[in-house]
Amino acid sequence: MSTKALLIMPPFTQLNTPYPATAYIKGFLNTKGITSVQADLGIEVILRLFSKQGLTEMFTHIEATGNRQLSTNCQRILALKSDYLKTIDPVILFLQGKNPTLSHLICSEDFLPEASRFAQLEELDWAFGTMGTQDKAKHLATLYLEDISDLIVECIDPHFGFSRYAERLGRSANSFDELYDALQQPYTYIDKILIELLHERVWETNPQLAGFSVPFPGNLYAAFRSAQYIKKNFPEIKTAMGGGFPNTELRSLSDVRVMEFFDYIMLDDGEAPLECIIEHIDGIRDIRQLKRTFVLLDDKVQYINTATCRDYKQSEVGTPDYGGLLLDKYISVIEVVNPMHRMWSDGRWNKLTMAHGCYWGKCTFCDISLDYIKVYEPVAAKMLVDRMEDLILQTGQNGFHFVDEAAPPALMREVALEILRRNLAVTWWTNIRFEKSFTADLCRLFKLSGCIAVSGGLEVASDRLLDLIQKGVTVAQVARVTRNFTQAGIMVHAYLMYGFPTQTAQETIDSLEMVRQMFETGILQSGFWHQFAMTAHSPVGIEPEKFSVVKDSDIVGSFANNDIMFTDKTGTNHDKFSFGLKKSLFNFMHGVCFDFQLQDWFEFKVPRTKIPHDYISNVLHEDESFNVKPTAKIVWTGSVPIAEYFTKSKKGRTFETASLTFHDKKESFSIQTSKEQGEWLAGLLVKIAASEKPMTFAQVKQDYESAENLEDFELLWYSKPVNTLREYGLLVL
């Protein structure tokens, strides 16, 4: 078999679902009739290592290398070798969803061998009361795998990690020296497994081009190791690299040694550059006519961007193609009991993008000068749902993770309506900005269409800093939006930031208090603190003086150049807050320790918070305007009513009355109106059903006022019968 391109995801990204980069590229190449095969070497290495044969070989290797001082923990794992060999294959099958009855045995807690990772179980015992048997077993099995991982790190390869490999070698590597030196060393134990699998893939497919996607620093070393092997053993195969890491880090690449491994390094959207490279390999395009690609020319690294071909629109890139990936072999793990936090590691998700880039594009910490943020292009809702249906047929999975920088609210609304029109049963979640346009009714629509969770950047919960970040939201607005999602039954995860330029210790503590209150009131389910990092392509990195920071150096390295070391003139030591912020958040996510003083989380003196203890609660109780915009869409998501008409008498007068009965999934309810209003309402609900085209509020009002014997629309709109319909699925969007 011979193929044009072998598309490789090097170790490691995720255990539970494929990272979508190669599937996106394969889908595009399909539209051009270019043959390609893809491989996720990360999951393949993990499955080879975490098997009875893999562990047998690993234990033998550790015992053979002997004569070292092992930790007590590793001595324990080695002593329990036979228990690990007995249990590993059934556990992996269970985590792949193929051996569900094993959960009972795992939960008996005398089946799995336990080392140091299980020490935390005493703290989490209370959580298992709310977890089902399957989930509890997944969590215990995850701890079991992490114990084996600890053994690997100590005895086999210090660079090992389930979602990264040799990540430190890729982080802020201004110089290529350290990574280059590591690549001259003999293969590590993990390298040997990787190279063996790579050899099989190359031998099977006989490609002309091996393309590596490198989204993160944790994929970089394995990509270089793999390319090095191909160059040495299959010199006729060309090698290329693209993805998030080169897009952000390698824009000023000049080290010629890098080109010993890669013939081409592409930047930004990969479709058009890759097509140009394939045309060059086929001899129909000159090397000086490539697009956004580094090559070695005249013994120098040169950036070629002279191709006249345009980039492809999102409507032209095709549906991602997951063909060839081991979709039934990925393993779902639960590292943290929190139901929202686990979504990144539990379950198989088809990944799609609602829009290329970010519609906001102003946040001062973000790489807004780069194409992946700057070039905003949404996909039409109908085409997006077409792609969802294609992927359901292709993968057998109806779960979707939209991996947008920030999904646009209006497009989310149209996608949700299109899902309802087609009567699709899907599950989806995405990343958002906490826009005030996420009203309670819009969140209810998302829920009805299958949305189960959203994640978004609260960043620093301080209005002064949110303004400096140009986030375009306030803490109060975020609180109301997260309340709207939560009340609709959609989980919310907040990305949190500390250490932004000019942030004071007082603001850090006040931010923590805001976060504490949001968890206590139940409007946040999950969060993650990360320390601000200054990047070269963000407004802070481009104009640091505006933010009172000073670059520690202006030297541009020959390899990676994105993260910038800096000094904050205001002098706050942000590093010391890290442990306390993360420890407090871990407890808040599990619904405990809200009554602790904030000082209790830190081993040094911190200022008292200036935030009133009921600030968030008060914000949530503020009245919201009842005014409806004339352009608002009115949608009915309930059932068709059963209408009955009868005559009522009161004080000698008779009234013709309508009773409309509705059945939803859980219960039935009725409303009563005059006969004329009932007939009009029954007809309207059919017109504005989610399966039809919505009407605007102005059109609904006009429709009412043009009917015979009907007057005063506002009186009906704010009446008890319509308020009841609002509770049961009459949405104002």
Side-chain angles (χ1 to χ4, degrees), residues 336-344 429 434 453-458 482 486 490-496 515 518-520 522-529 585-591 594:
V336 178
V337 175
N338 178 278
M340 172 75 206
H341 214 74
R342 63 190 267 191
M343 292 185 64
W344 282 270
W429 59 297
F434 291 118
V454 293
S455 55
L458 169 55
T482 54
T486 302
I490 296 171
M491 296 183 290
V492 184
H493 172 90
Y495 295 107
L496 305 164
V515 170
M518 292 173 89
F519 274 98
E520 188 175 29
I523 59 175
L524 269 188
Q525 287 71 54
S526 172
F528 184 80
W529 286 105
L585 184 66
F586 181 83
N587 284 278
F588 298 159
M589 283 199 301
H590 291 93
F594 295 125

Side-chain angles (χ1 to χ4, degrees), residues 16 155 175 252 258-259 282 317 396 416 569 608 642 668 683:
N16 63 309
C155 300
S175 165
S252 52
V258 173
M259 311 317 280
D282 286 345
V317 296
K569 288 184 191 174
R608 283 179 174 275
I642 300 167
S668 305

Side-chain angles (χ1 to χ4, degrees), residues 413-432:
R413 179 190 67 197
E414 294 309 310
V415 168
L417 286 169
E418 189 64 24
I419 288 169
L420 293 175
R421 281 186 200 108
R422 301 191 194 190
N423 205 24
L424 290 181
V426 294
T427 304
W428 61 275
W429 59 297
T430 190
N431 192 47
I432 62 164

Side-chain angles (χ1 to χ4, degrees), residues 159-215:
H159 295 310
F160 180 78
F162 281 120
S163 59
R164 62 192 63 84
Y165 185 40
E167 183 177 48
R168 186 185 60 77
L169 294 174
R171 278 202 179 282
S172 303
N174 294 76
S175 165
F176 188 48
D177 290 349
E178 189 177 4
L179 180 54
Y180 189 74
D181 289 345
L183 292 164
Q184 309 313 309
Q185 303 306 312
Y187 287 152
T188 67
Y189 189 87
I190 304 297
D191 287 346
K192 289 175 184 173
I193 297 174
L194 166 64
I195 295 304
E196 189 179 317
L197 289 164
L198 174 69
H199 182 89
E200 289 173 15
R201 290 289 164 272
V202 174
W203 190 256
E204 287 166 4
T205 57
N206 188 24
Q208 289 177 267
L209 173 70
F212 293 85
S213 180
V214 182

